[in-house]
Every structure is written in structure tokens, then in C-alpha cells.
Amino acid sequence: MIKLADEKQAQVKRATRAAFGATLAELAAEGAPVVAVDADLTGSTTTKKLADAGYPDRLFNCGIAEQNMVDVAAGLAVTGHVAFTGSFAVFGTGRAYDQIRNTVCYSNLDVKIAPTHAGISVGPDGGSHQMLEDVSLMRGLPNMRVLVPADYAAACAAIRLAAATPGPLYVRMGRASVPAVYADDVELELGRAYVLREGADVTIVACGVEVEQALKAAEALAAEGIEAEVIDAFSVKPLDERTIVASARKTGCVVAAEEHSVMGGLGSAVAETLARELPTPVEFVGMRDMFGKSGEFEELMGYFALDASAIVEAVKNVIARKQV
């Protein structure tokens, strides 16, 4: 059984991006051939921590040139390094998509696309910087794997897993500080989803910041006599289809929750799996074909119906469909 954060640990909020540079520094100290290539955002992405830890020759700042950043990372990978790219998600995936596709993925290079500031958690920076299509972009690429950690500990595990897994891999990290879901030093696996709470009435599959919201929703639902099974789909690609199908078979209905567009992300992956393996009523919690807005993270979660109350509503809707 995966070890979750206790009540005291859960009160400590840390951003997933804070795990990036710190974990790279640990890996370098352990002898891993990791390097970081950034696009003039080393403080915000925290890759600067790698240089500050005594490895300035492992950090390459390409300036505001994300396409060059990816190509430099590809070159370093060819020379035997495990290359992580930084930048914000909107630039690190969107502006450099051609290089990720045709240089990194086509050649199956050991490059890890690991941007921060994904989703609406960017907050006041607004819709131009709130990347809501990145999972869809990365998930559609051959050879690319996709990890979406729920908290700081999961992000540390994701960076370690990325460094140990040959080939292209995407790690999605955010700006906002979020409560701990997992205990420190948790170890997570590629292609695995984790049942964090068992239930018989509905399955909630979530990733990223939505995992904590799903657990809160499950508590609220339990007070109404509805037992929700909560699954963290940490690995969006490859998806743990066996765990999700087994849960759907038990509960008979599913809610997919993500801080991302409902088109092409986790919800799409879940729906594709169920359509093929076990047709099941599914409701989606996510951004619905729209850009974000400027505001504080918690405010935006409510405004765009991404919070626990939105998950509760989706659960009631999908249970009603199951009963028809």
C-alpha cells in the first residue's frame, strides 16, 4: 500500500516546481549524469538550485529561446547526459513543439521535458500563460511518456523516475503551493495509478492538483452516504488501464478530474480506455474549450469549476446516469 501524508504533513504546502532543482541536485550528488537546460527562467523553474548546489557546469541557460533549449538538450543527450529542460509549460511545450516532436521524440532521445507553471495555477499571469493543452500535446507524441505529480513528494519521485527511464518523458509541474498527498520519499512507478481511497459507488480518477480536490470531494460525499474510490493517475501515459477498468467494473461509473482541457488529456485517456474495455458512464471535470483568466489559484479553481464541489456535482450527475 502506498504511504500517504499524515495529517501534520498534509498541512505543509509546497509547489511541485520546488521539487525540480532540488531533486536534480540530489541526483547529481548521487552520480547521475543529469543536466538542466533552461530558457532564462532558472529561478522560477528552480533549476538554479542545481548550480547553487555546486554543479554550475550542469546548468545551461539558453536565454529566451525555447526551441534552442530543446535542441541543446538533445545534443547533450546524444553525448550521454540525461537532459532536463525547464521554462514555463506554455513556452516549453507550445513554442518548442516542433523540436520536441522531430528532434527529441522522432530520435527517441533521453530528454526530459519538465516545465513548471502549468495549468491555471499560474494564477495572476492570466490566460496567455496558463497552459491547458500541454498534456494533450505531449500525450499524442510517439515515444513520449507523461507524468503529472499531485504534490511535492510525487514531483520528487517523478524527476527521479524520469532520470532513470531512458527516452523522452514529460513531467508537468505547477507554480502554486499545494497540500501534501503522499509521505516524503514516496516511490512511484511509470504506468501505475494508485488507489488512494476505496469506494463502491463511483470512481474518481484524478491527476495533479485535482488529486487533493478529489480526496476532499470523497470526504464530502461520504457524509452523504456516497463512497467514492479515488485514483491518482500519476502516469497519464502509459495509463494504468488495469487499475482504472477494475475500479470502473466495481463502481459502475467514473469521474475524470484534471487541471487541463477536457480535450486530449487524462479524461480523454480514461474515456478511450473505457470505450474499448468496459463502456461506462463518465463525467469530466476540467477546462471546457476556453482560456484561463487572471486571478488567485484558489479563486480560479472555483470560478472554472475545478474544485472539490465541482467534483461532488459531477459524481452526482454520473451516478444518476448509472441508475437510468
Side-chain angles (χ1 to χ4, degrees):
M1 187 70 177
I2 200 83
K3 190 175 181 182
L4 301 182
D6 59 32
E7 187 174 342
K8 184 177 180 180
Q9 291 171 329
Q11 293 174 357
V12 179
K13 292 185 176 183
R14 291 181 288 182
T16 50
R17 64 167 170 154
F20 189 18
T23 306
L24 288 178
E26 290 175 0
L27 288 166
E30 293 165 13
V34 295
V35 294
V37 189
D38 211 303
D40 208 33
L41 289 165
T42 60
S44 295
T45 64
T46 76
T47 55
K48 186 175 182 292
K49 292 180 182 178
L50 179 60
D52 292 344
Y55 304 97
D57 58 337
R58 303 279 193 105
L59 176 60
F60 301 85
N61 190 342
C62 293
I64 305 173
E66 292 80 8
Q67 295 164 334
N68 288 345
M69 173 186 71
V70 173
D71 284 341
V72 168
L76 287 164
V78 168
T79 61
H81 296 85
V82 179
F84 286 78
T85 65
S87 193
F88 291 180
V90 69
F91 307 126
T93 62
R95 188 168 290 172
Y97 186 78
D98 180 66
Q99 285 69 28
I100 296 170
R101 182 187 188 276
N102 288 318
T103 303
V104 172
C105 289
Y106 192 76
S107 299
N108 201 24
L109 299 180
D110 205 5
V111 175
K112 320 303 174 182
I113 309 300
T116 62
H117 295 63
I120 64 163
S121 67
V122 177
D125 288 355
S128 63
H129 283 52
Q130 292 165 353
M131 185 54 160
L132 301 165
E133 311 89 53
D134 52 312
V135 173
S136 177
L137 289 173
M138 297 297 103
R139 180 175 164 255
L141 288 171
N143 293 328
M144 181 65 79
R145 282 68 56 87
V146 178
L147 303 178
V148 185
D151 66 357
Y152 178 89
C156 291
I159 296 300
R160 285 187 167 275
L161 183 56
T165 303
L169 197 148
Y170 181 62
V171 182
R172 188 188 208 234
M173 290 173 283
R175 173 189 185 185
S177 294
V178 294
V181 172
Y182 293 99
D184 290 341
D185 299 324
V186 68
E187 294 184 5
L188 303 176
E189 299 177 32
L190 186 69
R192 282 286 306 278
Y194 297 91
V195 178
L196 305 186
R197 180 184 177 121
E198 294 189 355
D201 299 321
V202 63
T203 299
I204 305 173
V205 184
C207 64
V209 301
E210 291 296 329
V211 173
E212 191 251 343
Q213 296 296 323
L215 290 168
K216 288 172 65 176
E219 286 288 338
L221 289 162
E224 300 183 39
I226 300 171
E227 291 301 325
E229 184 145 291
V230 178
I231 297 175
D232 176 11
F234 162 77
S235 178
V236 174
K237 181 188 177 184
L239 188 68
D240 186 350
E241 297 183 352
R242 170 187 268 178
T243 294
I244 291 169
V245 170
S247 182
R249 182 171 283 114
K250 176 172 65 171
T251 65
C253 59
V254 175
V255 170
E258 58 193 315
E259 184 212 7
H260 182 273
S261 171
V262 296
M263 302 174 184
L266 172 64
S268 294
V270 169
E272 291 160 15
T273 297
L274 294 174
R276 183 180 66 250
E277 301 290 340
L278 184 73
T280 306
V282 183
E283 291 283 333
F284 304 90
V285 173
M287 295 291 288
R288 298 186 176 276
D289 198 20
M290 63 180 70
F291 291 105
K293 292 180 180 292
S294 181
E296 296 303 323
F297 173 51
E298 293 80 5
E299 176 187 22
L300 294 171
M301 289 288 283
Y303 181 86
F304 287 114
L306 300 173
D307 57 6
S309 63
I311 296 175
V312 168
E313 182 178 354
V315 164
K316 292 179 179 179
N317 288 342
V318 82
I319 287 177
R321 289 173 55 199
K322 177 175 70 169
Q323 294 172 345
V324 170

